[in-house]
Amino acid sequence: MGVAKSEHARSALFAHQPRTSSYDVIIIGGAMLGSSVAWFLSQNSDFNGSVLVIEKDASYSMCSTAHTNSCMRQQFSTELNIRISQFGADFVRNFQSYMGDDPDIPELAFQTFGYMYLADNQGFADILRANQKIQQTCGAGTKIMSPDAIAEAYPFYKLDDIILGSHNLVDEGYFDGHSLFDWWKRKARKNGVEYIENEVIGIDVEGEKVIGVRLASGEQISAGHIVNASGPRAVLTARMAGLNLPVEPRRRYSFIFDAETRLDRDLPLTIDPSGVHVRSDSVYYLAGCPPDHDTDVDYDDFAMDHDIWIDKAWPAIANRVPAFEAVKLINSWVGHYAYNKLDQNAIIGAHPERPNFMFINGFSGHGLQQSPAMGRAMSELLTYGEYRTLDLSPLGYERVMRNEPLLEKAVI
């Protein structure tokens, strides 16, 4: 992946030991979510504290950020998730402005050919209709399409079994997430955030508060707040503070392929009833899916199961788009979702019993598109002790303690 190579070239710029023995905020994990928090803090004029980001692997080659498909959508079933992604889309579209109109900052590529959810049964069709009404009240451009309307707009689909589709061409598709991540990291460091390549092996607790971390290199560092931005490894970080977190790594497979017969227009990110999704991707096409037996895996297990392509992904996309019966697989990889077993929604905010230990975890595949809103929110919590723009308290850890899921019906 390109991001892994570029980051590896810069990894030598990361020191291994911190400059001082005390920081106002220590962020454990320096990939997309950790760097979002770091950048939003660093540009907040009301925050005057010191920030240390501790990243286990500065090459970023095995993190979820390096294996992302950089998707963006508003087709969620809860208003909160819609609002979160709408800010993400606005941030991507106006990236230069949000980054202070720095002439070095590029525009981010944003391909907005939309998502297409396809329903082959009345139950899911009803869910898509209900979701569309919620999305519409939030200003999203989602439209419910009959099979005839879908066939007119996208004649390459096979639709014999489809009842309806849900499609949105406004701010949905995919974007250049790698550049977003890279510039957040660069600018955070330029603004004074310190990044080191090291590993947290312990978190010190005194009374109800966390007071610091211990590093693999031997240092003990004091902290005013600790932010758990450890991706799929978040549960390991939480356990060091004596806390539990229902987050585990789960494999997700991605495939880049070429087609002998190319489509005459962009293919929306199509969520097939089989669970496979497929979209246009630059000069090729991209497909993805979970395994049929979707369970947790080892943190370092990125082994590819090639039968997934032959037995699941290709048959599904060839059935839905007959032009894909003759394709050539170009590339494939495995990434990890930081999968929240409770409800597949993010967990953000302080732990009620450890008020200075902060979660930003469990995004279950939505982390990249939600990272602008999440970084902004965490910056507000750390600076003001409250959310100032979008209230994310329904995503707090309290629901984990109560075992009360915040149901999101549109999870891929």
Side-chain angles (χ1 to χ4, degrees):
M1 299 292 290
V3 68
K5 291 181 180 177
S6 64
E7 290 301 336
H8 184 70
R10 291 193 193 95
S11 65
L13 299 177
F14 280 25
H16 294 284
Q17 281 76 41
R19 296 183 195 134
T20 68
S21 60
S22 180
Y23 294 84
D24 294 293
V25 177
I26 291 179
I27 301 171
I28 303 176
M32 181 61 93
L33 273 304
S35 289
S36 174
V37 175
W39 179 78
F40 272 96
L41 275 176
S42 75
Q43 59 80 50
N44 187 336
S45 60
D46 292 330
F47 179 80
N48 300 310
S50 54
V51 181
L52 174 67
V53 177
I54 304 170
E55 171 53 46
K56 184 175 181 287
D57 176 16
S59 76
Y60 292 100
S61 59
M62 291 294 113
C63 69
S64 295
T65 300
H67 299 98
T68 180
N69 295 335
S70 298
C71 297
M72 179 75 74
R73 64 181 164 110
Q74 280 79 60
Q75 290 192 66
F76 288 93
S77 68
T78 63
E79 179 178 347
L80 186 55
N81 277 331
I82 296 165
R83 298 293 187 196
I84 288 169
S85 282
Q86 285 178 327
F87 177 68
D90 185 72
F91 195 94
V92 168
R93 280 191 287 100
N94 299 287
F95 185 56
Q96 292 171 316
S97 175
Y98 277 108
M99 299 297 284
D101 293 314
D102 185 328
D104 293 332
I105 299 290
E107 290 187 10
L108 293 182
F110 192 3
Q111 304 296 332
T112 55
F113 44 55
Y115 275 55
M116 175 72 80
Y117 282 84
L118 296 175
D120 66 349
N121 64 79
Q122 198 59 54
F124 189 49
D126 290 342
I127 289 173
L128 291 179
R129 291 189 188 98
N131 291 352
Q132 188 268 345
K133 291 179 180 178
I134 297 169
Q135 294 153 19
Q136 192 174 45
T137 63
C138 296
T142 313
K143 295 181 179 180
I144 297 298
M145 301 178 71
S146 68
D148 287 345
I150 298 171
E152 183 177 355
Y154 302 102
F156 44 71
Y157 286 125
K158 179 185 174 185
L159 299 168
D160 322 21
D161 58 333
I162 297 303
I163 297 174
L164 59 78
S166 178
H167 186 37
N168 177 18
L169 284 169
V170 181
D171 289 341
E172 285 200 348
Y174 74 96
F175 66 102
D176 183 0
H178 297 320
S179 292
L180 173 63
F181 166 52
D182 185 47
W183 280 102
W184 269 344
K185 185 161 42 44
R186 287 195 209 185
K187 288 299 186 180
R189 296 178 72 193
K190 185 175 180 180
N191 292 346
V193 173
E194 185 180 343
Y195 277 71
I196 63 171
E197 183 178 21
N198 212 312
E199 182 177 2
V200 174
I201 60 170
I203 294 176
D204 295 321
V205 178
E206 188 175 279
E208 295 183 346
K209 293 188 175 182
V210 290
I211 60 172
V213 302
R214 284 169 276 127
L215 304 181
S217 53
E219 292 87 353
Q220 289 185 277
I221 314 298
S222 298
H225 284 84
I226 293 175
V227 178
N228 181 356
S230 306
R233 296 175 179 267
V235 65
L236 303 181
T237 300
R239 285 173 183 165
M240 286 188 279
L243 304 173
N244 191 30
L245 193 64
V247 174
E248 63 187 22
R250 292 201 180 181
R251 281 198 192 114
R252 291 297 180 267
Y253 297 86
S254 295
F255 307 94
I256 299 290
F257 66 94
D258 197 6
E260 183 176 294
T261 303
R262 298 191 59 79
L263 305 180
D264 64 353
R265 64 202 73 188
D266 286 329
L267 172 64
L269 196 155
T270 303
I271 300 93
D272 189 73
S274 65
V276 175
H277 60 268
V278 61
R279 74 175 197 213
S280 292
D281 189 75
S282 186
V283 298
Y284 298 120
Y285 300 95
L286 180 147
C289 63
D292 289 331
H293 188 52
D294 190 16
T295 60
D296 65 310
V297 296
D298 291 339
Y299 295 102
D300 298 319
D301 182 357
F302 293 89
M304 171 57 71
D305 180 352
H306 295 283
D307 290 341
I308 295 285
W309 168 250
I310 296 297
D311 297 337
K312 182 175 183 178
W314 181 31
I317 63 177
N319 173 68
R320 189 58 56 202
V321 183
F324 291 160
E325 288 180 356
V327 299
K328 178 182 179 181
L329 187 63
I330 303 295
N331 191 16
S332 60
W333 65 89
V334 176
H336 285 174
Y337 272 11
Y339 189 88
N340 176 1
K341 295 184 291 182
L342 178 68
D343 56 18
Q344 292 85 67
N345 269 312
I347 300 168
I348 183 170
H351 190 283
E353 297 170 1
R354 296 270 190 276
N356 64 335
F357 185 90
M358 317 296 286
F359 297 101
I360 186 165
N361 307 115
F363 288 86
S364 306
H366 307 133
L368 224 72
Q369 64 182 294
Q370 294 191 335
S371 59
M374 294 295 166
R376 179 184 65 176
M378 185 59 70
S379 168
E380 292 169 355
L381 277 183
L382 292 167
T383 304
Y384 310 113
E386 63 180 3
Y387 297 118
R388 290 281 179 94
T389 49
L390 184 61
D391 182 10
L392 300 189
S393 56
L395 295 173
Y397 188 87
E398 289 81 358
R399 79 184 194 279
V400 178
M401 298 178 73
R402 297 190 303 264
N403 194 31
E404 293 179 1
L406 178 67
L407 185 61
E408 171 56 64
K409 298 176 183 177
V411 173
I412 300 174

